[in-house]
Amino acid sequence: MRSIWNGAISFGLVSIPIKLVNATESHSISFRQIHVTDGGRVRYRKVCELDGEEVPPAEIGKGYEEADGSIIPITEEDLARLPIATAKTIEIVSFVPADEIDPLQMDAAYYLAANGATAAKPYTLLREALKRSRRVAIAKYALRGRERLGMLRVVDDVIAMHGLLWPDEIRAPEGVAPEASVSVREAELDLADALMATLGEVEMASLHDDYRDAVEAMIAAKAGGAFEPAEAVVEPAGGQVIDLMAALENSVRAARASRGADEGGEGGTEAEVTPIRRGAAAAAPKPVGGKKSTAGAAAGRKTASAAKKTAAKSTAKSASAASSASSAKAGGKKSTSAATKSASTARKSTSTATKSASAARKSTSTAAKSASAAAKKSDAAKKAAPRKRSSA
């Protein structure tokens, strides 16, 4: 690879001769400007404003324009004589943990190659020191007419340098965040976590520029005269209100389905989606004393049934009305006592099951009414008994 700058790395009393090599390259497709009517290429000509003549690159220099429009010529020799230590030196000023560097400061990247056999030993020393300390070096250097900030780190067995923007070149994000106050629910965060877990990690080497591939295919088709443009399907955007929860749930399901298809159906166990019941009332807690109150209500119902049977017997057997009446009274007292006990049991369970206790009290009231009806019928039978004897 061709070097674009020669100099040295300096930290303390150690100096390492190096060559600066571009670590990145652009694969963007370049276009020329043309005259639309005839396809002729449009070129840029550098013309002197004073004589109107085109100037060749060898005669083009630098100059600083003053406020009044006058130009002060600046030569490469003038820049080389500036009294700065970084003119031909990458001067390391500190070693810091890598996470202290804000990614917003990252700029161009370069490889630093050892320049000559004498540079191999100090180069290796610095590389291994950076590896063991797990730190990066912050340095200052001059390139293309200005002093810059850099970060040195180890990539494989090579020292790489990332150009950094100066701290005052990073703009504060004022007015960028949403102005409205928005709250995010835990359920939404859980779904977002599930989506991230489902998508998982990706091999960076597998990513490529789909747009460039499409442009290259279009150029090849047009060159062969067989290009047929197709309309791109553009989804309508803007003005739509979406259900964020539903969108997240659908995204997780789609991601899981996609990963399952990509991995032959063996994947897709990274995350589980639990449908969230929105707008539904929470299930009512089960009463703690439900069994006791149910037993009380059943006892009340049994008491009412017994009272009805006693009343029926007293009416059918009119000959033994007196004895039946006394038995009915005793039965009524007993049923009333049983109903009272059931009501007492139901009231005790009121603290844990109000509805069950209310049902028990209603059944108890029914039993009491049945007992009262039985007593009245027995009195009627008592009065009817003498008349039957006289007729006999």
Side-chain angles (χ1 to χ4, degrees), residues 92-102 105-106 129-131 133-139 149-154 164:
I92 295 176
V93 295
S94 67
F95 294 88
V96 301
D99 56 8
E100 289 189 9
I101 305 301
D102 189 342
Q105 289 185 257
M106 295 291 187
L130 289 173
K131 278 186 180 180
S133 67
R134 296 183 180 179
R135 291 173 174 255
V136 296
I138 303 301
L149 196 61
M151 178 190 75
L152 277 62
R153 69 183 185 98
V154 178
L164 299 179

Side-chain angles (χ1 to χ4, degrees), residues 62-146:
K62 298 177 182 178
Y64 178 79
E65 185 177 3
E66 293 270 57
D68 59 0
S70 60
I71 302 294
I72 300 177
I74 304 294
T75 65
E76 293 296 333
E77 290 76 12
D78 295 333
L79 296 174
R81 292 174 184 172
L82 292 175
I84 56 174
T86 57
K88 281 292 182 180
T89 303
I90 299 173
E91 183 182 0
I92 295 176
V93 295
S94 67
F95 294 88
V96 301
D99 56 8
E100 289 189 9
I101 305 301
D102 189 342
L104 283 174
Q105 289 185 257
M106 295 291 187
D107 200 1
Y110 308 94
Y111 290 133
L112 303 182
N115 193 2
T118 58
K121 181 65 178 287
Y123 184 96
T124 305
L125 173 64
L126 176 59
R127 183 190 66 197
E128 296 305 314
L130 289 173
K131 278 186 180 180
R132 191 170 71 170
S133 67
R134 296 183 180 179
R135 291 173 174 255
V136 296
I138 303 301
K140 295 169 68 176
Y141 65 101
L143 182 65
R144 298 190 180 101
R146 54 172 294 194

Side-chain angles (χ1 to χ4, degrees), residues 293 343 346-351 353-362:
S293 58
R347 282 194 296 271
K348 288 181 180 179
S349 63
T350 302
S351 59
T354 305
K355 293 182 180 180
S356 299
S358 176
R361 284 197 295 272
K362 287 181 180 179

Side-chain angles (χ1 to χ4, degrees), residues 9-23:
I9 301 174
S10 172
F11 65 107
L13 298 177
V14 179
S15 180
I16 309 171
I18 56 95
K19 297 183 292 184
L20 197 67
V21 178
N22 277 320

Side-chain angles (χ1 to χ4, degrees), residues 133-342:
S133 67
R134 296 183 180 179
R135 291 173 174 255
V136 296
I138 303 301
K140 295 169 68 176
Y141 65 101
L143 182 65
R144 298 190 180 101
R146 54 172 294 194
E147 189 172 56
R148 303 168 186 264
L149 196 61
M151 178 190 75
L152 277 62
R153 69 183 185 98
V154 178
V155 177
D156 295 333
D157 288 331
V158 175
I159 299 176
M161 182 174 69
H162 296 269
L164 299 179
L165 300 175
W166 295 98
D168 59 359
E169 292 179 316
I170 305 297
R171 300 175 61 185
E174 297 178 357
V176 178
E179 296 182 359
S181 178
V182 179
S183 61
V184 179
R185 293 179 293 170
E186 288 294 328
E188 293 169 336
L189 287 174
D190 291 342
L191 277 174
D193 289 341
L195 178 58
M196 289 189 291
T198 304
L199 291 175
E201 299 180 357
V202 65
E203 290 290 336
M204 296 299 291
S206 67
L207 302 177
H208 63 280
D209 189 347
D210 293 328
Y211 182 80
R212 188 188 72 201
D213 293 346
V215 173
E216 289 176 347
M218 177 191 66
I219 293 173
K222 293 196 78 168
F227 176 68
E228 294 182 4
E231 286 190 26
V233 178
V234 180
E235 296 292 337
Q240 296 182 358
V241 179
I242 63 170
D243 186 340
L244 181 58
M245 294 295 292
L248 286 170
E249 290 172 2
N250 293 335
S251 298
V252 173
R253 291 191 181 95
R256 290 185 63 195
S258 175
R259 288 179 64 83
D262 293 342
E263 299 173 12
E266 298 178 358
T269 60
E270 294 85 349
E272 293 291 337
V273 179
T274 302
I276 295 175
R277 298 169 58 190
R278 296 178 292 278
K286 294 182 179 179
V288 177
K291 291 183 179 179
K292 292 184 179 179
S293 58
T294 303
R301 287 193 295 271
K302 287 181 181 179
T303 304
S305 177
K308 288 180 180 179
K309 288 180 181 180
T310 303
K313 286 180 181 179
S314 62
T315 305
K317 297 179 180 179
S318 57
S320 58
S323 58
S324 298
S326 60
S327 176
K329 286 180 180 179
K333 289 179 181 179
K334 288 180 181 179
S335 61
T336 304
S337 174
T340 305
K341 289 180 180 179
S342 299

